Amino acid sequence: MSREAGRRSGRRPGTSGAREQILAAARSAFADNGYDGTTIRRVARAAGVDPALVHHYFGNKRQLFVDAMDLPANPAEIIEGLVATGDPEDLGERMIRFMLNVWDQEEDRAPLVAIVRTAMSDDQAATMVREFATTEILGRIVKAARGDNQDLRMTLLASQVFGLLIMRYIIKLEPLASAHPETVALAMGPTFQRYLTGPISQASSIGASRTERSAPVERSSTNISSDS
Amino acid sequence: MSREAGRRSGRRPGTSGAREQILAAARSAFADNGYDGTTIRRVARAAGVDPALVHHYFGNKRQLFVDAMDLPANPAEIIEGLVATGDPEDLGERMIRFMLNVWDQEEDRAPLVAIVRTAMSDDQAATMVREFATTEILGRIVKAARGDNQDLRMTLLASQVFGLLIMRYIIKLEPLASAHPETVALAMGPTFQRYLTGPISQASSIGASRTERSAPVERSSTNISSDS
DNA sequence: CGTTGAGTTCAACACTTGTTGAATTCCTTG
DNA sequence: CAAGGAATTCAACAAGTGTTGAACTCAACG
């Protein structure tokens, strides 16, 4: 990791692998601190090189992010495979097992966490994620599973996927963060499955719940302005 | 909104309400851009005042955030009321209706969105949210509902609450973002209810799913280093 | 061995940020 | 109307940022 750091200038002897070290440091930094929270100077220090070397290889910060986030696999293909494999009644649990299988490996998770963190940072980034998720990922899953209310099912599913991702890997709420993948698959599987193929527009809770119910809390319609 | 902007210096005539305008601009800015993405200069410009006035009133950026985020109600009390009101079999739907009732009002939602955005920005903020959510909010809900696996139920619930919050108000994925509250209550109610009081550790999917299943995807154990 | 080019560092620029102290204008109280 | 204090702005500082160009050192190739 650390060669002699005291050299004044010029090329270091031997094969340094500095480019890969910069990429690894960038992945880690973006995942931990988000895009804005990551400085090129800190990435460079973590990689043991000069900040200018980062620009030498990647041009600018945005390109460093793009190169560091380079996803190993095409999500579209993976989804096609998942959907085509087993019978649709198992798709929910299969999805969970697959996702945890990938994300429980830190080096595979880092790019995704970094992207999610960045997506939450401001409105513009959120829009990019919305469009990508809509067209590239979610549509394929739900289309392959059932017919009615596809769009709503898609977004319900997305909400639980995001919630799982955030709670397990970002907020790290225990015991979910350390739970065995199979525990999660069993606990969340029915939720995924119901969003995919179950009933979602009837009052189908466990006890016999009344369907109509008045709002239990009255809204306070106060406004902030103080101009009387 | 805009008084005469060309005055050179000194106090402006009349009651300006600048302090409230700064707070409103800060809430909006923190909600849209997160903590780091919000600059005091932009808040000041949106409020039509000089940046120094922000420091005059709030001292520093952190305190501006705290004052702007000042929540209108005590979450602990609200939860106690929700839990005590009806029978436990309805708690899931009641929670959803209540949350949407509050968050669908933009001025009530802004502080929460700002806090969530900030919580996602880096690890340190995530830790703060984790501790607050654990001790102040989630524990009370689940404790009042059922006995077994309380901690796991709590985090499962949190994942779906966060997912809903993020998808509806931050990523704004349609049709969930614009769906009628009752639609959401009916669609997500069973999920909430099952996490609260339903079975969560058995293979209880809709079709007869086999309980044990080998991993459907083989892990690629490649590492990043290129040193051959 | 000389040349060329890639790897690497140094030093600096232009910019933005949070923050501060002094100066100016108005309101309020006597 | 005089005085004190609050509201407001101006101008500046120190720190940190992404980025750039020049300089230096090594490896490879003829």
Side-chain angles (χ1 to χ4, degrees), chain A:
Chain A
M1 187 190 300
S2 63
R3 287 183 176 274
E4 297 185 8
R7 303 195 76 90
R8 295 302 299 266
S9 171
R11 186 172 196 164
R12 291 194 271 185
T15 301
S16 69
R19 201 190 127 98
E20 290 305 318
Q21 282 179 248
I22 291 171
L23 279 175
R27 266 188 283 268
S28 173
F30 283 130
D32 288 349
N33 310 313
Y35 183 82
D36 287 325
T38 297
T39 73
I40 287 191
R41 284 171 159 87
R42 276 233 293 268
V43 169
R45 206 178 323 129
V49 301
D50 188 273
L53 192 61
V54 178
H55 282 83
H56 173 68
Y57 280 126
F58 303 100
N60 54 35
K61 185 180 179 180
R62 189 179 190 87
Q63 191 59 43
L64 172 64
F65 182 77
V66 170
D67 287 352
M69 293 307 108
D70 192 23
L71 295 180
N74 181 359
E77 290 177 7
I78 292 175
I79 291 165
E80 304 287 359
L82 254 187
V83 171
T85 301
D87 77 293
E89 299 300 322
D90 288 344
L91 183 53
E93 284 191 14
R94 288 210 313 277
M95 280 183 59
I96 299 174
R97 289 199 182 89
F98 176 79
M99 294 187 306
L100 296 191
N101 218 13
V102 175
W103 296 341
D104 278 357
Q105 316 297 320
E106 186 175 345
E107 67 270 18
D108 290 348
R109 175 201 334 151
L112 184 63
V113 170
I115 289 174
V116 169
R117 277 225 159 95
T118 304
M120 305 295 263
S121 67
D122 74 316
D123 268 348
Q124 188 186 351
T127 297
M128 287 178 50
V129 170
R130 173 175 61 246
E131 291 172 355
F132 177 76
T134 302
T135 63
E136 292 297 317
I137 301 188
L138 292 168
R140 305 170 196 262
I141 299 178
V142 178
K143 236 170 209 164
R146 184 72 162 266
D148 68 314
N149 276 18
Q150 281 185 3
D151 292 342
L152 180 58
R153 289 176 185 279
M154 176 176 91
T155 53
L156 291 169
L157 193 66
S159 76
Q160 183 60 97
V161 171
F162 252 72
L164 170 60
L165 176 61
I166 287 167
M167 278 301 150
R168 187 173 169 97
Y169 302 111
I170 296 183
I171 309 282
K172 291 176 184 142
L173 209 56
E174 296 293 356
L176 182 56
S178 308
H180 192 278
E182 199 59 23
T183 301
V184 180
L186 292 178
M188 283 196 174
T191 293
F192 276 57
Q193 198 61 50
R194 197 172 58 80
Y195 290 160
L196 284 168
T197 62
I200 60 170
S201 54
Q202 312 162 25
S204 66
S205 80
I206 294 176
S209 68
R210 286 141 302 193
T211 306
E212 80 277 5
R213 186 175 303 110
S214 58
V217 185
E218 65 273 14
R219 288 281 315 129
S220 68
S221 62
T222 57
N223 52 5
I224 296 177
S225 77
S226 62
D227 184 14
S228 65

Side-chain angles (χ1 to χ4, degrees), chain B residues 8 10-11 16 18 50 52-53 56-57:
Chain B
R8 296 303 301 264
R11 187 172 196 164
S16 68
D50 189 273
L53 192 60
H56 173 67
Y57 279 126

